[in-house]
Amino acid sequence: LNSAAGSWRELPELAGTSDGEPLRCFFLREMLLLADVPLLVTLQGQILGESAPYQSIQLNIPPGRVLGEVGRSMRRAGQYLPLMGPWCGGFWHWLMEYLPRLIVAECAGFSGSCIIAADAPRFVRESLDLMGVDAQRVLARGPENWWVEELVLPEIITGTAGHGRKDLLQYGELAR
């Protein structure tokens, strides 16, 4: 993430949730969300490994492809939190990997729109509603490319970090 333009915030109140280290939340400027690639890509064509919940997911994008896609992308002003990716439509993955990203992002000051898959199951919108996210802040992403002004990317929380998820979810409940 060092090569992507933006900043990051450390969340000391969430210390102990990720091997004793505070979780971080990244605020990245000018990011491209390609319709057929479930990962985040900089305008220079760099895939952000931190955007996938599992490091084994890798895609090769030809170097010139991103620059060609920028002109065909829907420009979106504002701040966005992607809550979609591999297996985001599965209840366990949604509850244990994607929904906690919302908690981390909100603790870091996120107040923009949440991006969900266009075909997201009903429990996705219901859980966001239960978390207090206004329905107008939830955007279903269709088949178009998005070029977003600011992308909020919380540090990865996966099934391998199960020891911290309980603390994180409890903190999210207390913070509301």
Side-chain angles (χ1 to χ4, degrees):
L1 290 177
N2 294 335
S3 64
S7 62
W8 59 274
R9 296 181 192 143
E10 202 166 80
L11 304 169
E13 65 272 22
L14 296 181
T17 60
S18 178
D19 298 330
E21 297 294 321
L23 286 173
R24 294 174 295 169
C25 191
F26 299 89
F27 293 79
L28 307 173
R29 309 284 299 166
E30 306 300 333
M31 295 296 295
L32 188 62
L33 302 173
L34 299 176
D36 61 337
V37 178
L39 304 176
L40 308 175
V41 183
T42 66
L43 292 180
Q44 294 75 34
Q46 176 189 4
I47 297 174
L48 300 183
E50 291 87 347
S51 65
Y54 298 97
Q55 295 303 316
S56 62
I57 297 174
Q58 294 294 325
L59 297 173
N60 293 320
I61 297 178
R65 172 162 180 218
V66 173
L67 295 177
E69 296 290 343
V70 170
R72 293 188 294 266
S73 299
M74 180 186 297
R75 182 78 168 103
R76 306 290 300 225
Q79 192 179 58
Y80 297 87
L81 171 67
L83 294 176
M84 53 185 291
W87 307 297
C88 64
F91 185 75
W92 187 93
H93 290 279
W94 172 256
L95 185 64
M96 303 308 276
E97 295 170 358
Y98 291 96
L99 200 54
R101 291 180 180 198
L102 174 64
I103 297 169
V104 173
E106 286 188 340
C107 288
F110 168 72
S111 61
S113 297
C114 298
I115 304 171
I116 63 170
D119 60 350
R122 191 176 77 205
F123 64 77
V124 168
R125 286 186 185 272
E126 289 174 350
S127 61
L128 290 172
D129 182 55
L130 289 171
M131 295 289 290
V133 178
D134 187 277
Q136 292 184 348
R137 288 181 55 207
V138 180
L139 302 176
R141 182 156 170 245
E144 66 280 341
N145 296 333
W146 285 16
W147 174 12
V148 299
E149 180 180 10
E150 184 173 52
L151 194 71
V152 178
L153 185 61
E155 202 165 31
I156 291 291
I157 302 162
T158 69
T160 60
H163 65 281
R165 219 178 345 273
K166 178 181 173 189
D167 295 339
L168 179 63
L169 293 172
Q170 285 177 347
Y171 180 83
E173 181 62 30
L174 295 173
R176 296 204 175 278

